[in-house]
Amino acid sequence: MSAETATLKELCELIVDCPHSTPKWTEEGVVVLRNQNIRNGKLDLSSPSYTDEKGYRARIKRAEPQAGDIVFTREAPMGEVCLIPEGLKCCLGQRQVLLRPKNSISGGYLYWALQSPFVQHQISWNEGTGTTVSNVRIPVLESLDIPRQEGRERSIAKILGSLSKKEQVNKEINQTLEQMAQAIFKSWFVDFEPVKAKIAALEAGGSEEDALLAAMQAISGKPAGELARLQTEQPDHYTNLRATAELFPSAMQESELGEIPEGWEVLPLSEMVDLIGGGTPKKSESSFWNGDICWFSVKDAPSVGNVFVVDTEDKITAEGLNRSSTKLLPVGTTIITARGTVGKLAITGTVTAMNQSCYGAVSSDKTGPYFNYLRLSEAVGTLKRNTHGAVFDTITRSTFETVLQPRSCLALRQRFEEAVIPMFEAIKKNLLENNSLSEARDLLLPKLLSGELVVSEDDAELNGLKEAAHV
């Protein structure tokens, strides 16, 4: 790298190691940052950990994290970073270091520089012994050479940040779309709201037509006046909504799960899905690895809202596939992690193999892939509670027999699938766009930091950046 450099110590006013003790864990309180929350430059607090106020105070004696600080992971994994966002009260967990850039230094630029190949190589490689290392000592961290681009660092941070913000917007959209699909599933197949709306209308002395209108309101969330306008302005949509409402019964019946809609049945999950096992090709056989076949393990589980797995960290060859117990899962299969970290779900967005700590679950009752995913999502809590294993929590094939769910007629399940297909297709589209943005950012980062590519804030349009990345 031809750019000038400065040591990390020269660029920071604080480099503070975390307390070398385990926090007192609590169910709620102040967030404790853990290395598992920091991946690929992002802070993911979808599964937060907490300590109490006393524990928090003990852990901030050296420095209290503030917005704009950078958290650096020293090991397990090594070299991951994230920025502390505005409004987050938190403390460091273990194996972490708090970095506070000097006022004259762009914190955003330093955050990106720490993720660059130039700096990451220094982190992982011990120049003294010529070997890779598994942790970073404070003196080594302080002496890291950081590339400088005087006069352009804030622009570089803004440009790379614009790509990251677009990714975050897509991620938030995906979270909303998945929540919408889950809400519809819960309304129809867990809370039975359209059925209960029909019952309430009939009990109030209404006619069958009144009951049908009540179900249409429950399904669409529209009052009677808006439905009347819908009938006039969008007759096809109205007809489809009416046909969906007709598929819901207008009475309940007793079952081992309590009251369920009349005519529905209760079945164990094991009778509604077929399970596919996975496997791991021998790690010692180099010819089995680094191929072009995706191979899923728990580290590839998508973050909240992204749903699909479209790429994996490890890939295998056709020889590795054929000479191991792993199998190819077709597109649309739901993967569930079943050992150790249990209950993570993903839908295969591409043909994928997987390891033996997962199951592939495909519908055995003609249910569509998205209904099947949401059915399994609804079952995860029970599956996790019913795990076995002396050392690791494990979901076995017999665990699926312990989960009972009500099942409607096939026509209603197919109607639901049609309703949510656009949501899941949009999620997949946004995820693929984010992968493209991430690739562009990874290509841009070393070029911007080395000075090979010189851009200003005016060049922050995403399309232009993508083209520049491939120059």
Side-chain angles (χ1 to χ4, degrees):
M1 176 169 286
S2 59
E4 294 183 4
T5 63
T7 65
L8 184 63
K9 186 175 182 178
E10 292 171 333
L11 302 179
C12 291
E13 66 176 63
L14 280 179
I15 297 180
V16 179
D17 199 7
C18 64
H20 293 182
S21 61
T22 302
K24 175 187 176 182
W25 301 116
T26 58
E27 291 296 319
E28 56 184 21
V30 183
V31 170
V32 180
L33 301 182
R34 306 182 73 173
N35 285 3
Q36 66 198 42
N37 303 128
I38 305 171
R39 286 290 186 276
N40 302 317
K42 303 292 193 300
L43 178 60
D44 181 0
L45 293 177
S46 57
S47 299
S49 301
Y50 301 99
T51 191
D52 57 22
E53 187 67 24
K54 182 179 178 181
Y56 166 72
R57 290 293 169 192
R59 300 190 74 79
I60 63 167
K61 287 181 179 179
R62 297 178 185 175
E64 181 178 3
Q66 61 186 40
D69 286 350
I70 299 169
V71 179
F72 178 95
T73 63
R74 291 180 56 185
E75 60 178 301
M78 178 178 63
E80 291 280 357
V81 297
C82 74
L83 286 166
I84 302 291
E86 292 284 350
L88 176 64
K89 181 180 179 180
C90 65
C91 57
L92 300 188
Q94 294 177 288
R95 302 184 297 277
Q96 298 171 350
V97 181
L98 188 73
L99 309 177
R100 183 165 298 161
K102 292 179 178 178
N103 289 334
S104 59
I105 301 301
S106 165
Y109 175 83
L110 182 56
Y111 160 78
W112 290 111
L114 286 165
Q115 297 176 72
S116 69
F118 177 72
V119 176
Q120 286 290 314
H121 174 76
Q122 297 175 65
I123 292 169
S124 62
W125 187 257
N126 187 315
E127 296 293 349
T129 63
T131 59
T132 56
V133 296
S134 59
N135 62 77
V136 182
R137 295 179 296 109
I138 294 296
V140 173
L141 181 61
E142 291 177 334
S143 65
L144 290 176
D145 287 322
I146 307 298
R148 300 300 310 275
Q149 290 293 331
E150 296 286 353
R152 293 194 294 269
E153 291 177 357
R154 296 188 188 279
S155 294
I156 289 171
K158 182 175 181 178
I159 288 165
L160 294 170
S162 68
L163 290 168
S164 184
K165 286 178 182 177
K166 174 57 177 170
E167 286 183 65
Q168 184 61 31
V169 168
N170 282 345
K171 182 178 179 180
E172 291 171 1
I173 291 172
N174 282 357
Q175 289 174 348
T176 299
L177 289 169
E178 184 183 15
Q179 289 167 1
M180 288 169 59
Q182 289 173 333
I184 298 172
F185 182 91
K186 187 172 185 293
S187 172
W188 292 19
F189 302 105
V190 178
D191 295 334
F192 318 126
E193 289 177 354
V195 178
K196 292 176 180 178
K198 283 188 173 183
I199 293 171
L202 293 173
E203 288 179 346
S207 64
E208 289 292 338
E209 184 64 25
D210 293 329
L212 186 62
L213 181 62
M216 293 171 68
Q217 290 177 261
I219 294 167
S220 65
K222 299 179 185 296
E226 288 189 27
L227 286 180
R229 285 195 298 274
L230 184 70
Q231 184 176 18
T232 302
E233 298 170 3
Q234 300 181 52
D236 290 343
H237 187 181
Y238 181 89
T239 299
N240 183 65
L241 176 60
R242 183 182 178 90
T244 301
E246 288 172 343
L247 294 171
F248 287 94
S250 54
M252 302 286 278
Q253 65 186 28
E254 287 296 330
S255 77
E256 53 265 66
L257 294 177
E259 285 194 330
I260 64 171
E262 189 175 66
W264 292 21
E265 57 187 339
V266 173
L267 293 172
L269 192 58
S270 57
E271 291 186 22
M272 296 185 282
V273 298
D274 289 328
L275 298 178
I276 305 167
T280 301
K282 286 184 179 179
K283 295 284 188 178
S284 58
E285 292 288 347
S286 59
S287 61
F288 291 175
W289 296 92
N290 300 315
D292 57 5
I293 299 172
C294 288
W295 183 78
F296 180 94
S297 64
V298 66
K299 61 188 175 185
D300 300 304
S303 57
V304 175
N306 281 336
V307 178
F308 293 90
V309 54
V310 295
D311 197 9
T312 56
E313 186 172 319
D314 297 315
K315 292 184 172 64
I316 61 174
T317 62
E319 184 180 4
L321 174 69
N322 294 330
R323 295 179 61 183
S324 72
S325 60
T326 192
K327 303 172 183 67
L328 287 181
L329 305 174
V331 172
T333 302
T334 293
I335 297 175
I336 181 169
T337 59
R339 186 172 184 268
T341 302
V342 300
K344 297 286 188 181
L345 297 179
I347 301 176
T348 55
T350 186
V351 175
T352 307
M354 65 179 179
N355 72 8
Q356 65 274 18
S357 295
C358 307
Y359 289 113
V362 294
S363 165
S364 61
D365 61 359
K366 300 181 181 180
T367 292
Y370 303 135
F371 183 100
N372 190 53
Y373 168 80
L374 292 166
R375 173 164 64 188
L376 285 159
S377 181
E378 180 66 26
V380 159
T382 305
L383 288 169
K384 291 170 73 172
R385 285 193 298 273
N386 296 346
T387 54
H388 307 281
V391 179
F392 295 105
D393 287 340
T394 304
I395 296 173
T396 66
R397 289 178 181 269
S398 62
T399 313
F400 288 83
E401 298 172 4
T402 69
V403 180
L404 299 178
Q405 289 185 337
R407 186 175 70 173
S408 72
C409 65
L410 177 60
L412 182 56
R413 303 198 306 272
Q414 290 173 333
R415 284 276 180 177
F416 175 84
E417 188 78 11
E418 292 170 3
V420 299
I421 280 175
M423 301 176 195
F424 281 95
E425 287 182 345
I427 290 173
K428 187 175 181 180
K429 177 178 177 292
N430 288 338
L431 179 59
L432 290 171
E433 182 180 22
N434 275 4
N435 287 352
S436 176
L437 291 168
S438 179
E439 179 184 351
R441 188 185 63 238
D442 290 345
L443 289 167
L444 279 167
L445 182 57
K447 294 183 178 184
L448 290 169
L449 268 60
S450 68
E452 177 186 345
L453 182 64
V454 178
V455 292
S456 67
E457 294 181 11
D458 294 334
D459 297 315
E461 288 295 327
L462 297 185
N463 290 336
L465 286 171
K466 289 179 184 177
E467 292 172 5
H470 295 278
V471 171

